[in-house]
Amino acid sequence: MKKTDITAIGFTTFALFLGAGNLIFPPMMAQQAGDNWLNAMAGFLISAVGLPAMTIIVLGRLSTVNALTDALPKWLERSFWLTVFATLGPAFVLPRAVTVAYEMGIKPFTTENYLLPFSICFCALSLMLAIKPGKIVDIIGKFMTPALIIMLGVLVITAMFNPQGTTGLATESYRENPLVNGLIEGYMTLDAIAAVAFGWVIIKAIQDKGVKEKTRISHYSYIVAAIYMVLMSSCYLAMGYLGASSSAIAADATNGGQILTLYAAAILGPIGQILLAAITLTACLTTVIGLTNANAEYFRKTYNFPFAKAATIVTVLTAIVSNIGLEQLITLSLPLILMLCPVSIALVLAASLSLTKNQKLKYLVFTAFIFGALDTFSVLNMFNTATDSFLQQWMPLYQHHLSWLTPCVLLIVFLFAANKPAQNQQPVMG
């Protein structure tokens, strides 16, 4: 594969992950972390960038994404993937990306409500760009991502020469364990589950360049993951710097979007607001294109459903949900995503130890789902005080919303140890 091709795939991977949420989350965290923002960001990068990168590498070693769930019973495998693509598709993430693009890219410049025409145009454009899967690397990796990097570079470099405040004191949650808190916040971006979905796009992009051998696919997945890690880490650090140096203009901000908006307006005036709008629209568009492509690729490969029809259905549903019932769907879909994330990470960890053919893998899925449900109920404040106190006392890592981790790691170790004798068994000579 040519260097330009693998670089373009790496750029595409970065752009797929870089939605508006990835832009607005680090500034708020860094502002709250204050003088500990670099320590918090280190933890954040380990989980928010490290977990997706590990997923890309593991999926590259498998060479086909569906190999991740091959050992599961058919009903469980289909249920997992359908739920993943429903929640990351038209039931939650795609409509949210459209509405965020409107809220940050269009709404600040008008007093009228243009969400309906905007969502129709935005979804139509994303469908046009996603409907030819072989062109996604050329469209995103060679054109849209460089433009996005340039726009982000202009904003950040200008801010570095004109900071809007000094780093303040860390808030209580970031005063003692900024690294741990950063790790948890990075995990809660839920990009680990997005990596499983984007794997369908990334692996196919490598194969479309004529790479068919498993060892070569694995080799190039390492390079793609490395490019993604450098670009995404740089972006997160840059957004974190903006948040850490925003005390003079955004001390009372309630979210990262406000910090970026105030910062852009302060250093570049109206041009800054236009620049931020362009960054947001581009970031959301690349994410919508990638997830639409991933949904359609899954249905094409699994059910032999025509790619163009699948992409069209996903896009139409996205446009509809963007305008009606989004809040209700978020209420229903967010718990599913929070429960699916531990399942996805557990499957990736098992795959990293070559356990994808182990028939007992279903027990790992059930364990991750059950304990992930406990974490989900905790995040959504659905437990009463007595239950919450009991679980904090007896469940390791429950207070960090990671109670699934210990039982899943122990089960993976057990499955790996039980798998070794079968692999090493030698025939007995009579």
Side-chain angles (χ1 to χ4, degrees):
M1 191 188 302
K2 297 178 182 177
K3 289 183 179 179
T4 53
D5 289 333
I6 192 61
T7 301
I9 295 174
F11 276 30
T12 300
T13 303
F14 162 69
L16 295 179
F17 282 97
L18 186 64
N22 302 84
L23 289 172
I24 66 179
F25 192 83
M28 193 73 237
M29 186 190 74
Q31 188 187 73
Q32 292 175 342
D35 50 359
N36 285 331
W37 78 274
L38 282 174
N39 290 330
M41 190 58 67
F44 183 84
L45 294 179
I46 291 172
S47 52
V49 179
L51 282 176
M54 181 185 73
T55 301
I56 293 169
I57 290 170
V58 170
L59 294 178
R61 284 174 52 190
L62 296 176
S63 76
T64 57
V65 183
N66 50 307
L68 192 68
T69 53
D70 274 351
L72 299 179
K74 188 61 67 177
W75 70 268
L76 184 58
E77 177 191 26
R78 293 290 172 85
S79 298
F80 170 75
W81 286 114
L82 287 172
T83 308
V84 165
F85 282 111
T87 51
L88 290 181
F92 179 38
V93 175
L94 282 177
R96 187 184 64 172
V98 174
T99 54
V100 168
Y102 174 75
E103 293 288 334
M104 291 187 64
I106 302 298
K107 192 174 181 180
F109 303 97
T110 179
T111 57
E112 302 294 329
N113 185 359
Y114 292 111
L115 177 58
L116 178 59
F118 171 81
S119 61
I120 293 173
C121 294
F122 193 84
C123 288
L125 177 60
S126 67
L127 178 60
M128 288 172 54
L129 297 175
I131 208 163
K132 295 182 178 179
K135 296 292 184 181
I136 191 170
V137 171
D138 293 331
I139 294 167
I140 296 180
K142 295 182 179 179
F143 296 102
M144 296 180 71
T145 308
L148 182 58
I149 291 172
I150 290 170
M151 289 188 289
L152 284 168
V154 170
L155 178 62
V156 173
I157 292 172
T158 306
M160 291 178 67
F161 284 100
N162 190 19
Q164 298 298 302
T166 56
T167 303
L169 296 175
T171 58
E172 185 176 351
S173 59
Y174 287 96
R175 203 167 293 152
E176 293 185 2
N177 296 304
L179 183 69
V180 174
N181 281 304
L183 273 167
I184 296 165
E185 296 295 343
Y187 165 74
M188 292 302 293
T189 63
L190 306 178
D191 271 355
I193 188 173
V196 172
F198 287 139
W200 290 84
V201 179
I202 297 165
I203 300 303
K204 188 174 189 305
I206 294 174
Q207 292 172 337
D208 283 345
K209 296 301 179 182
V211 182
K212 304 301 180 184
E213 302 86 354
K214 290 185 66 172
T215 55
R216 301 304 293 167
I217 293 173
S218 177
H219 169 73
Y220 286 120
S221 70
Y222 275 94
I223 299 175
V224 168
I227 295 172
Y228 156 77
M229 288 180 69
V230 170
L231 291 175
M232 189 61 83
S233 298
S234 300
C235 179
Y236 279 148
L237 286 169
M239 295 300 104
Y241 171 79
L242 294 183
S245 62
S246 64
S247 59
I249 58 167
D252 298 322
T254 58
N255 60 70
Q258 291 181 5
I259 294 174
L260 291 182
T261 300
L262 292 169
Y263 220 120
I267 60 178
L268 292 171
I271 296 176
Q273 292 177 301
I274 295 172
L275 178 64
L276 183 60
I279 290 171
T280 303
L281 288 169
T282 306
C284 288
L285 183 60
T286 56
T287 298
V288 171
I289 293 170
L291 283 175
T292 301
N293 193 286
N295 268 266
E297 178 62 20
Y298 168 73
F299 286 104
R300 181 195 70 81
K301 195 161 188 177
T302 306
Y303 300 98
N304 201 27
F305 196 83
F307 184 94
K309 287 185 179 180
T312 301
I313 292 171
V314 168
T315 304
V316 171
L317 289 174
T318 298
I320 294 172
V321 176
S322 299
N323 288 272
I324 56 171
L326 179 59
E327 291 302 320
Q328 291 83 354
L329 274 170
I330 287 177
T331 302
L332 294 172
S333 300
L334 183 57
L336 278 175
I337 288 186
L338 289 170
M339 285 185 276
L340 281 172
C341 197
V343 175
S344 300
I345 296 174
L347 285 171
V348 170
L349 289 174
S352 69
L353 296 175
S354 302
L355 295 174
T356 52
K357 297 186 183 300
N358 193 308
Q359 297 301 310
K360 294 183 174 61
L361 204 61
K362 59 186 176 184
Y363 300 117
L364 178 64
V365 171
F366 295 142
T367 301
F369 187 81
I370 292 169
F371 283 91
L374 293 178
D375 292 326
T376 298
F377 296 151
S378 173
V379 170
L380 300 178
N381 297 314
M382 296 174 67
F383 286 133
N384 58 38
T385 304
T387 303
D388 196 62
S389 298
F390 175 81
L391 291 172
Q392 282 198 39
Q393 182 177 0
W394 296 103
M395 193 77 69
L397 301 177
Y398 171 81
Q399 67 272 27
H400 300 308
H401 312 307
L402 291 170
S403 62
W404 64 269
L405 186 59
T406 301
C408 284
V409 168
L410 290 175
L411 184 53
I412 289 171
V413 171
F414 171 78
L415 291 176
F416 180 72
N419 212 40
K420 293 290 280 185
Q423 290 178 345
N424 297 332
Q425 188 173 15
Q426 300 293 328
V428 179
M429 301 299 292

